Amino acid sequence: QQVEMDFKIVLDPENMDNKAGLKHPNDETRLPLITKKKSAPMCSQKPGRGAAVTDPWALPAFHCLASPFPLGEEHPPKGTLSLTGQRLILAAAKRALPAPPVVSRAAPLPEFPGQHKKSAGAIYGPYSSSKGNIPPLPSSSSVLSTQKSKAAWRCPAQQWESEVHTPSQTQNPCLDWDAAVHQKAPALLALQHHHPSSLGRAGGLLEPTENLKGLAVPLPTTDGQKSTQTDSDFKENPSKSDNLSVRKDQPAVEKLLRGAGQGGDAGSSAGSNAGSDAGSSAGSGAGSNAGSCKQQRAAGSIRAAWRRWHRLARLRAALGEARRRHLENFYSRAKHLAANWNRIRTSRRTIIHIPSLGYSQHVREHIPDLALQQNLQMGRLCDILDANVDVIYICPLALSEELLQYYHKLLGLQAAVRSGNPEDMADLQDRFKILTPEAINSFPEHYMCLATVLKYSPRTLQRLRALLQGRDAYVVGGLPHPDDLAVADQLQVPLLASEPAVAQLYSTKSGSKRIFASAGVPTPPGERDIRSREQLLRALSQLVLDNLEVQRWLFKADGERGGDGTAFCDVVSHLECFSWIQRERQGHGSEVWRESQARELALVKISQELPGLLAQHVQPVNEKRFPTWEKFLQTFLTQGGVIEAFPLSASVATLTVDLLIEPTGEVTLVSSGDQLHAEGPLRASGTTIPQRSVDPEVLKVLCLKIGEACKSKGVLGYFSVDFVAFTHPQTREQQVWAIDLDLCYSDQLALTQLLMYMTDGNLDCGSSRLQGPLGSKESKNHQAQHEGTKPPAPGSPRCAVASSQLRHASLSGISYNLLLHMCEARGVGFDLQEKQGTVFVLYEDQKRHSLGMITIGEDLQGVLLTFARNLFIIHQEISAPNMQGETNFKMAIGDIEAILGVTAEHKLRLEEEQPWEADALKE
C-alpha cells in the first residue's frame, strides 16, 4: 500500500492529503509545503519578457546549503544505499538508470517554502547538518548514455535531495516529474516488483505525458529483462476508468465528471439524445484535459528545476576546477619567484599593491565602511623610494582629481627631501599608478573584498596587463583570498603572499597560538579552540584555579579583527569563593594543594559560579555590536576562540613587529612600533616608531623564532606579530608575551614606508634605531663640533608618532585644500630642510570623516607633544561649539598625556635598570 501511495503522490503532487501518506513512523523526511497558485495558467506556458528568471549566479547564503561535489577529506557514504534511510529511494529501487535527454532552456527553479521552517536534520535527512555535509555523486555504474543524449543524469532521489538543498525564487514546487513519469524510475521499478498488476493501469496514463517529449519508453519485462516500446504500443486514448484508476482523488474527480454528465442529460430531456451524448463527452473531456494540464505544468516546472540545478552543478564544477588551477599556478609561479628573487629584488620591477581584506564573508559584513578600511595603506605608494621600483596601487575607492594631485605632489617631494630644497620637486607620475576597479559600485550589498571586485573588473585587468607587458612584476596583497590567486593568474604574475587557506588558518586567534607553541615563545596562560559553552566553563575554571594571581581574563573570537571580537572580565574580583580558596591554599601549602581534595572542591565551586558571573560582569570591547554577554558568546562559540590572561601589571606596553619571509626563505624584520590605545587598552589606534619597550636583541630572537615557525607552515610574504611587555610584580623582571599574529601587510608597515620616504632614513629593527640625514641646523652643528677633524658619517636619530584611525565627524564639512591651508597657517606642516614635521594621509573625499597623520621629530617626548598639539588645533578649527559628531581626537590626546606622564617617570628609573632604553629616550 505504501508503494502505491508513493506512486499516486508522484502523479498528483499538489494534493495536500497526500502528505499524510508520506509520513512514516521511523522516518523524518517530509515533503515541503505545497503552495497553491491563485489562478490556473494555460496548459502550455512560456515565460514572457517580464517574467522573473532567477539568476543562476545568485547562490543562497545559508549554512546548510550542500554542494553535490565532495570538497572535504571526509566524504559521506555513496550510492543508492545511503539514501534509502531517507525514503528518497525505495528499498527495491537499486537498478541502473538510463539518462533521458534534456534540452537546456532557461527557466525558474521552484522554491520549497517549508524548508526553512524545520530543523536541518528533519528536512534534509542524514546528509544535512550544521557542518554542511555533502551529498555524494552517483557512482559511474548508475549513469548510462542514451542514443539521443550524452548528458549525465542523477537518480530522482539524489536530484530531489539536491533540489531541497538549493532554494529558489519561484512558487511552483512539486516532485521531479522528469524522473517520476519515466518508465524506469525507481518508484515504478519497485511498484512492478511488488505489484505487477499495477503497472498495467499506470502505463496507459503515463504514455500521453511521454508523448509530450516524443520519446521511446523503455519498460522492464516480467522476467527482469529490458525492452523498449514505442508510443504506438500504448493506448492512444486511455479510457476514463484508466485515468481514474491511478488517482488518489478518484472520488472527487468522479463527482466532477458526474456533474458534467448530468448537464448533458438535461439537454436530452429537452428532446435531443445527441445533446446528452455531447454533454457527457464534453464533461469527460474537460476532466481529462484538466488533469493533463496539471501534469504538463508539473512536468515543465520540474524540467526547469532540473536544468537550473544542472547549470549550477556545472558552475560549481567549473569553479572548483578554476580554483585548483589557480592554486597550481600560484605554487608554480612562487617557485619561479624564489629561483629569481635575488635578481628581481635588485633589478627594474613593478609591484602591484592590492590592499584587500580577504576575511570571511561574516567578518567583512561587520567591518564598518569596508572600502575605507581597505584604503588605509596609501603609504604603499612610497615603495618608489627604490629607484628600480614602479608601483601600481589598486584603490577600493574612486579618488577625485584633487586627491590624486595631493599624492602626486607628496610623492614628488623625494628629490626635495634629499636636497632640502623645495624647488627640487620632481614629477614622478610615470613611477606610480593609482587604479580604481570599475566594479567598485556594482556589488553594494555583497561586502566583497578588493581582490574579488578587481576580479570582476575586466577593463582594469586589461589595463594592468598592458602596463605589465614585458616587465618583472609581482603582487603584494592584504589578507589573502582565493580571488587574489585568480587575479594573479589572469595577470600571469606571482603573488608574494601565503596560500589563502594557510593565511586564514593561522591568522585566527587559535591558529596564532599554534604558531607560538611551535616556535616555543612565551605566551599568556590560556586555552585555544574553545567551541562550546561547557568547554569554555571547564577551561576557564581550570585557568582561574591555576592562576589565582591573574585578575582579568580575555575572550577573543577567532575570526574577528581590531579588537571587535574581544571581551574581558575581572573574574577574581567577583568570585565569591575566592577568599575561601586562598585560605585553603595557604593552609595546605603549595605542594600539597596541587593534590588535595580541597583543590577539586575549589574547581567545582568556581565552575558553579562562573555562568552567572560571566553573564553579569563580562564587558565586550565593541558594545554596539555585542550589548550583552550572550550576544558575544554566540559569535565566540560559532567562530571558536581563545581564553587568555591579561598581563599581571597596571603598566602594560603593547608592540607590533612587522616581518617579511622572502621567497628564498630569509626572515627579515621590517618595522616595529609601540601601540597607542586611544579607545581602550584592547584596541590599537596608532603607533610610535620604532618600538622602545623591549630590549631589541630579546625582541629579535623572539621574532626570528616565530618567523621560522611560520615558514615551516608555508607562510610567505609580510606578516605582523603583537607582543605585550610588563614588569612582573613579584620578580620585578620584564616579561614579554606573544599574543597575536596577522598574516598580512599591516597599517603600521604602510606608515613606516611613508616615514622612510619623508626622512630618506633607515630603520634598523635589530637595534630599534631610525637614522636619517642631518637637517640644515644639525649639519651646521655637526661641522662646528668636528672642525679640523674628519667627521663621522652624518646621521640623526628620528622617531615618529603615526595613526591611520583618526576620526572626526566635522572633517566632512571642510575641503582638504582648506584643511591643509588652515594647518599651514597654524604651523602644522613638514619642514623639508629639517626633515621633521607632520604629513597627512588622505583616504577619500566623499564622506571625509577620517584621515591618517604622521609626525616626525628627534625625540619621542617632543613628537608626542607635537602630535597631540596638531589634534587639538584641528579639533579647534573644524568643530562647532555644539558639535555632536563622533571623534576620537580627545581620547587620543588623553592617551598621549598619560604616556608623557609615564615617560617622565621612567626616564629616571631606566637610567639605572635599562641603560639602552634610557639612551634611546635621551635621543
Side-chain angles (χ1 to χ4, degrees):
Q1 288 180 341
Q2 185 58 50
V3 174
E4 290 184 349
M5 179 67 70
D6 290 345
F7 180 64
K8 291 179 180 180
I9 291 169
V10 168
L11 296 181
D12 188 17
E14 296 188 5
N15 193 324
M16 299 297 292
D17 295 334
N18 290 343
K19 303 186 74 175
L22 196 67
K23 176 66 180 177
H24 301 280
N26 297 322
D27 192 274
E28 288 297 325
T29 304
R30 300 179 179 90
L31 278 177
L33 179 63
I34 303 300
T35 304
K36 288 286 185 180
K37 291 191 175 181
K38 294 183 179 179
S39 60
M42 298 297 293
C43 298
S44 177
Q45 202 169 23
K46 295 183 180 180
R49 292 184 179 181
V53 178
T54 306
D55 183 3
W57 293 92
L59 297 179
F62 74 104
H63 298 297
C64 292
L65 180 65
S67 169
F69 303 98
L71 303 178
E73 295 180 0
E74 297 180 359
H75 299 164
K78 300 183 178 182
T80 56
L81 183 61
S82 63
L83 296 176
T84 54
Q86 308 173 57
R87 298 196 66 85
L88 294 177
I89 291 184
L90 302 177
K94 300 179 181 178
R95 300 179 61 178
L97 304 172
V102 177
V103 179
S104 298
R105 183 175 60 188
L109 173 66
E111 184 180 8
F112 305 101
Q115 68 184 24
H116 297 288
K117 299 179 182 180
K118 304 292 183 182
S119 65
I123 298 177
Y124 305 136
Y127 284 120
S128 284
S129 69
S130 60
K131 296 183 180 180
N133 289 334
I134 300 161
L137 287 172
S139 62
S140 59
S141 62
S142 66
V143 180
L144 299 177
S145 175
T146 64
Q147 295 179 354
K148 295 186 178 181
S149 174
K150 296 182 180 179
W153 182 68
R154 290 162 61 93
C155 62
Q158 290 171 312
Q159 176 176 342
W160 167 249
E161 182 187 56
S162 300
E163 296 295 345
V164 171
H165 281 258
T166 312
S168 175
Q169 303 298 322
T170 62
Q171 297 292 330
N172 188 19
C174 46
L175 290 177
D176 189 337
W177 193 264
D178 252 359
V181 301
H182 200 285
Q183 301 296 313
K184 288 195 62 180
L188 285 178
L189 295 177
L191 181 64
Q192 190 216 12
H193 179 75
H194 293 288
H195 305 278
S197 62
S198 299
L199 187 61
R201 293 188 296 160
L205 181 62
L206 295 181
E207 182 269 337
T209 58
E210 289 294 343
N211 279 341
L212 295 175
K213 298 183 288 184
L215 301 177
V217 182
L219 280 176
T221 60
T222 55
D223 59 358
Q225 297 179 352
K226 301 175 183 177
S227 67
T228 301
Q229 299 183 11
T230 61
D231 299 341
S232 61
D233 295 324
F234 295 93
K235 297 180 182 180
E236 293 184 2
N237 296 304
S239 66
K240 180 170 65 176
S241 60
D242 290 333
N243 288 330
L244 293 177
S245 65
V246 292
R247 295 191 63 90
K248 168 68 175 175
D249 55 350
Q250 180 175 347
V253 176
E254 287 179 339
K255 182 179 180 181
L256 177 65
L257 294 179
R258 279 197 301 271
Q262 290 173 0
D265 292 339
S268 176
S269 66
S272 175
N273 292 332
S276 173
D277 295 337
S280 177
S281 175
S284 176
S288 177
N289 290 337
S292 178
C293 284
K294 182 182 294 186
Q295 294 159 7
Q296 291 179 43
R297 288 197 304 272
S301 178
I302 294 306
R303 280 195 295 270
W306 160 251
R307 284 192 293 270
R308 187 176 184 275
W309 180 89
H310 194 59
R311 287 197 300 271
L312 292 178
R314 290 200 303 267
L315 287 174
R316 292 191 185 105
L319 179 61
E321 174 62 23
R323 289 190 170 176
R324 183 194 61 77
R325 185 179 66 252
H326 294 158
L327 191 60
E328 289 179 354
N329 292 340
F330 164 76
Y331 280 114
S332 175
R333 293 191 179 102
K335 290 180 181 179
H336 180 270
L337 184 65
N340 297 272
W341 180 247
N342 291 328
R343 176 188 61 81
I344 293 174
R345 66 183 298 187
T346 57
S347 60
R348 190 76 178 177
R349 62 195 183 277
T350 300
I351 303 176
I352 307 109
H353 281 285
I354 308 176
S356 175
L357 296 178
Y359 293 97
S360 66
Q361 177 74 14
H362 173 76
V363 174
R364 294 199 306 270
E365 288 175 354
H366 290 91
I367 297 178
D369 209 339
L370 176 62
L372 176 66
Q373 292 299 313
Q374 293 180 120
N375 202 39
L376 301 182
Q377 299 180 0
M378 296 292 289
R380 294 183 185 224
L381 291 166
C382 297
D383 277 348
I384 63 173
L385 181 64
D386 186 336
N388 288 323
V389 172
D390 293 339
V391 169
I392 300 175
Y393 179 84
I394 307 301
C395 183
L397 295 165
L399 303 185
S400 66
E401 189 62 30
E402 176 188 3
L403 211 53
L404 292 174
Q405 286 299 321
Y406 173 79
Y407 282 105
H408 289 157
K409 292 181 179 179
L410 180 65
L411 296 174
L413 292 174
Q414 184 180 23
V417 167
R418 288 175 175 170
S419 66
N421 185 0
E423 297 181 357
D424 291 341
M425 285 184 60
D427 186 1
L428 300 180
Q429 294 189 39
D430 60 331
R431 297 279 312 283
F432 70 94
K433 296 287 186 295
I434 300 176
L435 303 182
T436 300
E438 68 267 20
I440 57 170
N441 297 319
S442 299
F443 309 98
E445 303 299 328
H446 289 72
Y447 301 96
M448 289 182 174
C449 65
L450 181 58
T452 304
V453 173
L454 179 59
K455 175 184 174 181
Y456 295 118
S457 301
R459 291 199 299 272
T460 304
L461 290 172
Q462 183 178 5
R463 187 179 179 190
L464 279 170
R465 283 191 287 267
L467 292 171
L468 298 175
Q469 192 170 9
R471 311 190 64 172
D472 285 332
Y474 56 89
V475 174
V476 176
L479 184 68
H481 184 275
D483 287 334
D484 284 278
L485 305 188
V487 168
D489 206 38
Q490 291 192 51
L491 299 178
Q492 297 184 1
V493 294
L495 181 65
L496 185 60
S498 308
E499 177 189 342
V502 172
Q504 297 286 347
L505 174 62
Y506 294 111
S507 281
T508 64
K509 308 303 179 185
S510 296
S512 65
K513 301 300 181 187
R514 295 189 187 97
I515 292 287
F516 298 151
S518 176
V521 298
T523 57
E527 188 69 33
R528 59 178 169 86
D529 293 312
I530 304 295
R531 297 189 177 274
S532 70
R533 190 185 298 262
E534 295 74 16
Q535 185 186 5
L536 184 146
L537 295 175
R538 184 171 61 251
L540 182 58
S541 300
Q542 191 67 56
L543 288 169
V544 169
L545 188 59
D546 292 342
N547 304 273
L548 291 173
E549 67 278 5
V550 175
Q551 297 292 318
R552 175 171 293 181
W553 292 92
L554 308 179
F555 308 91
K556 297 180 178 180
D558 270 343
E560 299 297 327
R561 63 183 291 272
D564 278 352
T566 302
F568 62 92
C569 183
D570 297 330
V571 176
V572 171
S573 60
H574 300 292
L575 203 61
E576 295 180 359
C577 63
F578 179 67
S579 57
W580 174 84
I581 294 174
Q582 281 188 316
R583 290 195 303 269
E584 291 293 325
R585 183 183 182 186
Q586 293 172 358
H588 287 80
S590 58
E591 294 297 330
V592 179
W593 168 253
R594 293 196 187 101
E595 305 297 333
S596 66
Q597 293 184 352
R599 191 177 189 278
E600 297 298 324
L601 180 59
L603 186 62
V604 173
K605 286 178 175 289
I606 294 174
S607 62
Q608 290 175 345
E609 285 192 44
L610 279 181
L613 186 153
L614 295 175
Q616 188 173 359
H617 298 290
V618 167
Q619 299 181 47
V621 172
N622 188 345
E623 294 182 350
K624 291 182 180 179
R625 181 178 171 190
F626 304 112
T628 64
W629 163 244
E630 284 299 324
K631 288 282 187 181
F632 175 84
L633 186 62
Q634 181 180 1
T635 298
F636 181 87
L637 297 180
T638 299
Q639 298 182 8
V642 301
I643 304 173
E644 183 179 287
F646 192 76
L648 318 173
S649 175
S651 179
V652 179
T654 308
L655 56 146
T656 300
V657 181
D658 291 287
L659 297 95
L660 168 65
I661 299 180
E662 300 184 14
T664 56
E666 183 180 354
V667 181
T668 308
L669 279 66
V670 292
S671 178
S672 68
D674 293 312
Q675 292 182 8
L676 300 176
H677 298 93
E679 301 177 61
L682 300 176
R683 255 187 177 171
S685 60
T687 182
T688 62
I689 306 171
Q691 72 82 25
R692 297 197 174 159
S693 299
V694 179
D695 186 338
E697 292 298 326
V698 173
L699 190 62
K700 183 178 179 180
V701 171
L702 295 176
C703 289
L704 292 179
K705 286 183 178 180
I706 295 172
E708 291 297 326
C710 287
K711 185 171 67 174
S712 68
K713 304 295 184 182
V715 175
L716 178 66
Y718 294 95
F719 65 98
S720 60
V721 186
D722 289 347
F723 298 89
V724 289
F726 63 97
T727 301
H728 196 283
Q730 297 177 355
T731 63
R732 306 304 301 173
E733 294 181 354
Q734 187 182 61
Q735 290 193 351
V736 182
W737 290 343
I739 60 169
D740 204 0
L741 177 69
D742 289 311
L743 300 182
C744 61
Y745 199 106
S746 73
D747 294 350
Q748 175 180 275
L749 181 55
L751 291 169
T752 301
Q753 296 294 92
L754 179 60
L755 171 62
M756 300 294 98
Y757 195 88
M758 298 305 298
T759 61
D760 196 26
N762 176 54
L763 176 62
D764 182 5
C765 294
S767 60
S768 288
R769 291 181 182 272
L770 171 61
Q771 292 289 126
L774 296 174
S776 59
K777 295 180 181 178
E778 295 170 318
S779 180
K780 293 178 181 179
N781 295 335
H782 181 78
Q783 292 176 0
Q785 292 175 3
H786 297 87
E787 188 174 356
T789 63
K790 185 177 180 180
S796 174
R798 292 285 187 270
C799 64
V801 178
S803 175
S804 60
Q805 302 284 345
L806 298 175
R807 301 188 307 277
H808 203 297
S810 297
L811 283 170
S812 59
I814 184 173
S815 69
Y816 282 140
N817 267 335
L818 184 57
L819 174 66
L820 295 175
H821 282 97
M822 178 198 68
C823 289
E824 184 180 5
R826 295 293 299 271
V828 180
F830 189 79
D831 189 331
L832 290 173
Q833 293 182 338
E834 301 301 326
K835 300 175 178 58
Q836 301 179 27
T838 298
V839 178
F840 293 103
V841 185
L842 308 179
Y843 304 133
E844 49 85 30
D845 51 4
Q846 297 297 319
K847 299 178 181 178
R848 293 199 311 275
H849 54 68
S850 61
L851 52 77
M853 185 171 70
I854 180 168
T855 301
I856 306 167
E858 298 179 10
D859 66 276
L860 181 59
Q861 282 182 298
V863 173
L864 286 168
L865 285 171
T866 303
F867 192 89
R869 174 181 173 272
N870 293 344
L871 293 178
F872 178 78
I873 289 173
I874 296 173
H875 175 73
Q876 191 177 43
E877 290 290 335
I878 68 176
S879 299
N882 57 347
M883 190 204 78
Q884 301 296 325
E886 180 185 2
T887 178
N888 60 358
F889 279 29
K890 293 182 179 179
M891 291 181 284
I893 293 172
D895 184 43
I896 290 174
E897 289 175 346
I899 292 173
L900 289 173
V902 172
T903 302
E905 296 175 4
H906 279 205
K907 284 186 69 174
L908 296 176
R909 181 172 58 84
L910 293 177
E911 288 179 355
E912 299 179 358
E913 297 181 3
Q914 299 180 13
W916 68 268
E917 189 172 348
D919 293 341
L921 285 173
K922 289 180 181 178
E923 293 171 356

